[in-house]
Amino acid sequence: MQEQSVTGSGAYPVRLTFSAVTVLMLVVLAAWALVFHKGLVSAVAIWYGSDIFNHCMFVLPGAFYLIYLKRDALLNTPIKPSMWTLIFVAPLVALYAVGLAGDVQIFMHAAMFTLLPVLYWFVLGTKAARTILFPLVFILFCIPIGEELVPLLQQIAATFSVQLLELSGVPVFRSGLYIEIPKGRFLVAEACSGISFFIASLVIGSLYAYLNMQAPWRRASFVLLSIVFPVAANIVRVYGIIMIAHMSDMKYAVGADHLIYGWFFFAFVIICLLALGEFIRERAPKSTADDIADSNERVEQHSGQAISAYGKAGLAGFSAVMVLSTVWFQFIQSALPEVLNKAYTFNRATEDVVDDASMRLPWQVKYRRATAERYLLMDADATAEITIYQAFYAAGQGELISSINRFYDQDNWTKVEDIKIDALDKPYSMELISSPSGQLRLMAYWFVLNQSVYANQRETKIAQIAKTLSGEPAHGGVVALSMEVERRELARQQAQLSAFIEKQYASLSDDVRLGQ
């Protein structure tokens, strides 16, 4: 394609050459990546490490390719920086700063990947941004978000697959996420939630609707279909796996092979989705010379002086945003506490420590990158043995509250119910969890942040961010307890665990405070 330049008279927004627009967009991308490098590095680590978000690695290249496809329309659109978009830039930069201070990765990722299309809107102007609106919005799929839907999708899959089993005449009993039939017992685990199908289907469906449909109602209908279809398909998949196992006397669709069935089924779902798209989309009419002539926008004549004026204004505003953001982020980084220069030890030495490497514990916590952690094995009385997990996180050295931190392995345990606790002076949470074999355990936990104690993750994270922004090092810790129970003795054993927590609460909390 030949480059096009325009000259004329009058101080109006102008059209730039293809090379100039390309350089401008690359400059914005490079400056954005440099200023927000910490969030970008953490996002890439999630993309690479999680099967759910592997697709994110292709979103940015895909978005720029979609912009390239719109190059003719973009070059025929006036380029005028939209200074008023700063009202969106400022809160997004602030959100990233809060995420940086509190190590809240979702804040950092949401802010930076929303800010990139807004910055393009800022430097190119509203008309140009409208021309490439979908590619800019498509960048939002870079945000590694969606794992929060896993519990909901598990519940949906379990609920409707049980109903299908009942309609098929198969005797079935459901306990939480466990589905039991006469031939065996099944767990609707995280891998069975269909979250990967769901997110991939939404991305593919949105892209297909943009490339192959013109009518807004068709596009919206197909995107909605790409949301509903994978959820319904996953229900059928869970139902089908259980039925295959039932009809084959548990010879097939159990163990690893049901995951293989899942991938084949996923490919089939995508093919079906695209086939539905072919049915829904418009049939392109034959183009005529008049249609082509009407579609070509008239290039207006403006002056080279206007290019310089508007270009300088846009670049100056963009540079100011980047410089001020960098200064603010550096200030926040400097306010974060330095790495502890000595090994942390727990406040209280005890003979109850167990070596989880040499002893297979019935219940294990999955907390990552703790500064220090340990398991204790203590007796509530002669009849009950309690496993205790304690972890300490020095400020700036790992994330105490994170979606990847779990109180139990969700492939081996699932939550049956939350248990209401009324303990304002000693706040903690409690829930009942179950294994595939039907083993039950009570689970209690709380969080310690400096001198304060919290019963849930949300309150702890908010307090941690507030302390960091105020310049106070937010050292934190977590205490979790678990005890095996029986259904018929649940009330008595719950009271027993609560009494133990009441007695040991202060000492267990002090253990994970920075006091050495």
Side-chain angles (χ1 to χ4, degrees):
M1 185 186 71
Q2 292 184 336
E3 298 178 2
Q4 303 176 25
S5 61
V6 290
T7 58
S9 59
Y12 294 98
V14 300
R15 296 165 179 81
L16 304 178
T17 65
F18 177 66
S19 296
V21 173
T22 301
V23 170
L24 178 61
M25 298 191 73
L26 290 177
V27 167
V28 171
L29 179 65
W32 168 84
L34 183 63
V35 174
F36 299 93
H37 68 277
K38 185 172 181 179
L40 184 59
V41 169
S42 65
V44 171
I46 295 175
W47 297 348
Y48 180 78
S50 172
D51 292 338
I52 299 175
F53 302 115
N54 287 161
H55 69 277
C56 293
M57 292 186 286
F58 304 99
V59 170
L60 271 180
F64 285 108
Y65 179 70
L66 294 176
I67 292 174
Y68 175 76
L69 295 179
K70 299 286 291 185
R71 61 192 181 279
D72 291 331
L74 185 60
L75 289 176
N76 284 321
T77 304
I79 303 296
K80 179 182 178 182
S82 300
M83 296 299 180
W84 66 272
T85 57
L86 288 173
I87 63 176
F88 299 109
V89 172
L92 289 172
V93 171
L95 179 62
Y96 183 88
V98 171
L100 184 64
D103 198 16
V104 187
Q105 292 188 356
I106 184 59
F107 284 6
M108 297 168 66
H109 300 158
M112 63 184 290
F113 288 116
T114 305
L115 186 62
L116 181 58
V118 172
L119 288 175
Y120 281 127
W121 180 10
F122 172 61
V123 298
L124 297 177
T126 299
K127 289 186 177 180
R130 188 181 296 120
T131 302
I132 55 173
L133 178 60
F134 179 83
L136 294 181
V137 174
F138 191 71
I139 293 175
L140 298 182
F141 282 120
C142 287
I143 303 173
I145 190 173
E147 283 186 301
E148 298 78 7
L149 296 175
V150 168
L152 175 62
L153 293 176
Q154 287 176 284
Q155 292 290 342
I156 291 174
T159 299
F160 288 97
S161 61
V162 165
Q163 292 182 5
L164 290 176
L165 289 169
E166 290 174 343
L167 290 175
S168 302
V170 178
V172 59
F173 173 76
R174 178 188 173 190
S175 175
L177 296 176
Y178 288 98
I179 299 174
E180 192 168 353
I181 62 176
K183 301 292 180 65
R185 197 176 191 196
F186 300 83
L187 168 64
V188 183
E190 289 188 11
C192 301
S193 66
I195 186 64
S196 298
F197 299 174
F198 179 82
I199 296 178
S201 174
L202 178 58
V203 174
I204 294 173
S206 301
L207 185 59
Y208 182 91
Y210 169 72
L211 293 174
N212 296 280
M213 301 177 187
Q214 298 300 321
W217 72 267
R218 291 181 187 269
R219 287 179 170 177
S221 299
F222 189 72
V223 171
L224 180 61
L225 181 64
S226 68
I227 294 174
V228 176
F229 192 71
V231 176
N234 190 58
I235 294 171
V236 175
R237 181 176 75 100
V238 173
Y239 163 74
I241 288 172
I242 297 176
M243 283 299 295
I244 291 172
H246 172 70
M247 297 175 68
S248 65
D249 290 329
M250 304 298 287
K251 292 180 180 179
Y252 302 108
V254 294
D257 59 345
H258 85 274
L259 296 178
I260 298 174
Y261 298 160
W263 282 111
F264 279 109
F265 189 78
F266 170 64
F268 176 73
V269 167
I270 294 300
I271 292 173
C272 290
L273 183 64
L274 297 181
L276 288 172
E278 286 296 307
F279 178 76
I280 294 175
R281 75 183 182 93
E282 303 98 334
R283 295 296 177 264
K286 294 182 179 180
S287 299
T288 64
D290 292 339
D291 294 331
I292 297 174
D294 291 340
S295 64
N296 291 330
E297 297 183 25
R298 185 177 179 180
V299 178
E300 299 178 6
Q301 302 297 311
H302 302 301
S303 70
Q305 180 180 3
I307 294 177
S308 176
Y310 281 109
K312 286 182 179 180
L315 289 177
F318 173 76
S319 300
V321 170
M322 294 294 99
V323 170
L324 292 175
S325 299
T326 302
V327 172
W328 191 12
F329 299 157
Q330 287 297 324
F331 172 77
I332 292 174
Q333 291 276 51
S334 64
L336 293 175
E338 304 242 343
V339 175
L340 290 178
N341 55 15
K342 63 178 182 179
Y344 174 82
T345 57
F346 288 97
N347 285 342
R348 180 183 57 157
T350 173
E351 69 280 2
D352 300 309
V353 177
V354 294
D355 183 3
D356 60 298
S358 61
M359 175 182 177
R360 182 173 177 81
L361 297 172
W363 155 82
Q364 286 184 304
V365 176
K366 286 191 165 185
Y367 264 62
R368 314 288 179 87
R369 296 174 55 200
T371 306
E373 61 182 346
R374 71 180 180 186
Y375 285 94
L376 307 176
L377 204 58
M378 304 179 70
D379 293 328
D381 56 29
T383 62
E385 190 175 65
I386 297 176
T387 311
I388 302 170
Y389 173 80
Q390 295 173 302
F392 169 77
Y393 281 80
Q397 296 183 37
E399 196 173 3
L400 172 63
I401 307 299
S402 169
S403 61
I404 65 175
N405 291 340
R406 306 290 175 83
F407 285 115
Y408 46 84
D409 184 354
Q410 296 195 341
D411 289 335
N412 297 314
W413 297 92
T414 186
K415 182 169 68 173
V416 176
E417 62 177 302
D418 289 307
I419 298 175
K420 185 177 180 181
I421 300 296
D422 296 321
L424 298 179
D425 57 331
K426 296 181 176 63
Y428 65 94
S429 297
M430 184 180 292
E431 58 191 52
L432 181 67
I433 61 176
S434 174
S435 71
S437 62
Q439 181 185 6
L440 297 174
R441 297 189 73 88
L442 278 174
M443 178 87 192
Y445 56 88
W446 65 91
F447 302 92
V448 180
L449 197 62
N450 295 353
Q451 299 304 312
S452 303
V453 182
Y454 304 92
N456 61 66
Q457 295 184 347
R458 183 183 65 257
E459 293 179 355
T460 308
K461 195 65 177 181
I462 293 173
Q464 197 172 34
I465 294 172
K467 289 179 183 295
T468 302
L469 290 176
S470 67
E472 180 183 354
H475 303 295
V478 58
V479 179
L481 304 88
S482 179
M483 182 176 74
E484 186 174 358
V485 296
E486 296 181 9
R487 176 68 71 175
R488 63 178 182 274
E489 297 287 337
L490 182 58
R492 180 187 65 80
Q493 291 173 320
Q494 177 187 335
Q496 187 179 34
L497 180 58
S498 297
F500 178 83
I501 292 174
E502 178 75 19
K503 182 179 179 181
Q504 298 288 338
Y505 193 89
S507 60
L508 292 175
S509 299
D510 287 340
D511 286 349
V512 295
R513 288 191 172 98
L514 183 61
Q516 294 288 333

